[in-house]
Amino acid sequence: MPNNIIVGAQWGDEGKGKIVDFLTERADVVVRSQGGNNAGHTVIARGEKHVLHLMPSGILHPGKLCVIGNGVVLDPVGLLAEIDGLAKRGISITPENLKISSTAHLVMPYHPRQDAAREQGANKIGTTRRGIGPAYGDKIERTGLRLADLRDPAKFAERFAERVNQINPVLEAAGVETIDFEAVCREYLAAGERLLPHAANVATILDEAAKAGKSLLFEGAQGTYLDIDHGTYPFVTSSNTTAGGTITGSGFSMRKIDCITAVAKAYTTRVGEGPFPTEDDAFGDRLHGMGREFGATTGRSRRCGWLDMVLVRYACLINGADELAITNLDGLDGLESLRICTAYELDGNRIDHPPATIDEWARLTPIYEDLPGWSDDLTGARDVADLPANARAYLRRMEELAETKVAWIGVGPDREQTIRA
């Protein structure tokens, strides 16, 4: 298997965890390179459901090395809870199968409180309130604390005290609970004792693995349109969720990447605030009634709409996608007619790419193309030939519009319900 990057081609929740989990069988190393525990990857393996937040999905496969890169913002207490939860299921995490970048920034307890304070007004973004944005803000302002800082308890306490003295008055003015310095300092230093044995220079580990002929799989979090540069700003996350973020967030050479796989649902969803041109409440009600489309991290019902190929096509372009993985095709079972957005109309003009501003997004009208649906239950399909003709035609139309081949097709949540196209 080549060195492969997996990225989301929509607003996240595309089913990347399932694709990563499936492809991990052919990989030696699985890497998470950006985001925090605001992301949630749901993987169902052998009938058991796992929801992973910071842990790479490869941890569900024995014998794989999992790596958390420097581009991740790390909640150490949350990661330990995840490690302990996996241990209860018989999945052991050791310094041999999990490496964490020493330079990964820490999500501190004041970050979620800053997040919550910012979300109180009318201009809320719709974040998970996990403190991811404020943590990345401290990173950019060069005031952040990193995993390696926990190696020196006295110096960590000194720097943490300085930040608490700066932030507590702001939290108090916002009516938000302030930070108990002593309690948090003890908690984080205790977390450090457990996590520091995993700390490493991951760039050298990844380079050595590649030189040894091992295959690397890079697991993207969120999706292209939550990217801080390329997404529907300001309704975005605070990291680069596109393929470029994989490189800067891991220290791995872009010249050693062989394949980029963009993952898209067979329809479109998003969580939180922000523009969504093809949103359709009736379609969403149908999916929610089927028990589908609830967030892995928050449990919030996702907003749902028809497939927007303007988004998928542009995501393939800016990520340099070599192939598409289409998930949740079975979510369209039983519909007589399907809609695909092929372009937008903006102020009387046709455009074939996302606009730049929120005001322009609000003025978009989707241009649709209608295709016939199917009545079959796709969940038992294990080969492309098992799919009805209309489902195959739908996938071909996606390939044409994205100018990218479909390589993988998901017809259910389980690992086994994945078809090689």
Side-chain angles (χ1 to χ4, degrees):
M1 180 178 169
N3 297 326
N4 196 342
I5 296 176
I6 310 295
V7 294
Q10 294 158 318
W11 280 291
D13 301 311
E14 300 97 345
K16 296 179 297 299
K18 170 189 167 69
I19 298 300
V20 169
D21 176 69
F22 184 80
L23 294 178
T24 296
E25 293 184 359
R26 300 166 176 81
D28 301 298
V29 184
V30 182
V31 187
R32 171 80 183 274
S33 54
Q34 50 75 218
N37 62 350
N38 58 331
H41 286 166
T42 301
V43 178
I44 298 179
R46 294 181 293 276
E48 187 172 8
K49 180 179 179 180
H50 303 269
V51 180
L52 305 173
H53 297 284
L54 284 163
M55 190 68 66
S57 299
I59 204 68
L60 302 178
H61 293 257
K64 309 295 182 181
L65 174 62
C66 290
V67 174
I68 296 175
N70 55 278
V72 173
V73 287
L74 189 74
D75 176 348
V77 177
L79 178 57
L80 286 174
E82 198 167 336
I83 288 172
D84 292 341
L86 288 166
K88 290 178 181 177
R89 296 188 173 202
I91 300 169
S92 178
I93 289 88
T94 70
E96 284 66 48
N97 67 359
L98 175 66
K99 301 293 184 183
I100 308 171
S101 173
S102 300
T103 58
H105 277 251
L106 301 177
V107 177
M108 303 301 294
Y110 43 76
H111 291 138
R113 298 179 193 185
Q114 289 175 298
D115 212 351
R118 294 174 184 177
E119 288 288 287
Q120 289 175 356
N123 295 322
K124 65 179 180 178
I125 301 297
T127 74
T128 59
R129 303 191 180 199
R130 297 293 181 94
I132 306 306
Y136 275 113
D138 279 5
K139 178 177 180 177
I140 297 303
E141 290 180 354
R142 300 179 293 277
T143 58
L145 293 161
R146 305 192 293 183
L147 180 61
D149 293 324
L150 292 169
R151 290 178 179 146
D152 187 332
K155 191 166 289 185
F156 174 82
E158 179 183 343
R159 292 192 59 201
F160 179 47
E162 181 181 353
R163 289 298 289 147
V164 168
N165 290 335
Q166 293 168 343
I167 290 170
N168 266 349
V170 178
L171 296 178
E172 187 174 10
V176 176
E177 183 184 2
T178 56
I179 300 299
D180 181 336
F181 167 75
E182 295 291 345
V184 171
C185 198
R186 286 195 301 270
E187 183 180 41
Y188 269 59
L189 289 173
E193 289 181 6
R194 290 184 61 189
L195 292 177
L196 283 171
H198 299 267
N201 183 320
V202 302
T204 60
I205 290 172
L206 299 179
D207 183 62
E208 289 166 4
K211 286 177 178 175
K214 295 182 177 180
S215 60
L216 282 64
L217 187 62
F218 294 85
E219 174 180 17
Q222 290 98 24
T224 293
Y225 295 97
L226 294 177
D227 186 280
I228 188 68
D229 287 301
H230 300 287
T232 49
Y233 190 89
F235 298 97
V236 293
T237 193
S238 302
S239 61
N240 286 112
T241 59
T242 42
T246 299
I247 303 304
T248 56
S250 66
F252 191 67
S253 170
M254 67 181 71
R255 301 181 71 176
K256 295 180 179 179
I257 297 296
D258 301 298
C259 181
I260 298 173
T261 303
V263 184
K265 276 180 183 159
Y267 46 91
T268 311
T269 65
R270 82 172 296 174
V271 173
E273 307 297 322
F276 188 168
T278 65
E279 186 170 14
D280 186 294
D281 290 340
F283 180 59
D285 289 344
R286 177 182 182 275
L287 291 168
H288 296 148
M290 297 166 66
R292 291 175 175 262
E293 302 308 338
F294 295 92
T297 298
T298 64
R300 289 182 292 182
S301 57
R302 297 183 184 123
R303 299 159 61 192
C304 304
W306 298 109
L307 178 64
D308 188 335
M309 283 305 299
V310 179
L311 297 184
V312 175
R313 178 173 55 239
Y314 191 69
C316 288
L317 183 154
I318 63 176
N319 285 295
D322 297 290
E323 61 184 25
L324 274 168
I326 305 302
T327 64
N328 292 61
L329 187 63
D330 55 304
L332 301 176
D333 290 356
L335 288 169
E336 292 184 7
S337 180
L338 307 173
R339 310 202 84 184
I340 295 179
C341 173
T342 58
Y344 302 138
E345 183 180 298
L346 175 63
D347 301 334
N349 299 310
R350 179 190 173 103
I351 62 170
D352 299 306
H353 56 79
T357 70
I358 290 299
D359 288 343
E360 289 173 316
W361 276 101
R363 300 200 305 274
L364 290 180
T365 300
I367 298 173
Y368 284 114
E369 178 179 301
D370 293 325
L371 280 76
W374 54 87
S375 58
D376 308 58
D377 178 354
L378 302 189
T379 57
R382 295 296 180 268
D383 187 272
V384 174
D386 297 334
L387 300 174
N390 287 348
R392 295 197 300 272
Y394 189 77
L395 292 167
R396 283 196 302 273
R397 188 59 178 141
M398 291 184 74
E399 288 184 322
E400 293 168 358
L401 292 167
E403 299 177 357
T404 307
K405 67 179 181 180
V406 172
W408 305 95
I409 305 161
V411 292
D414 197 271
R415 182 185 293 168
E416 305 304 319
Q417 294 173 300
T418 309
I419 297 170
R420 183 68 163 109

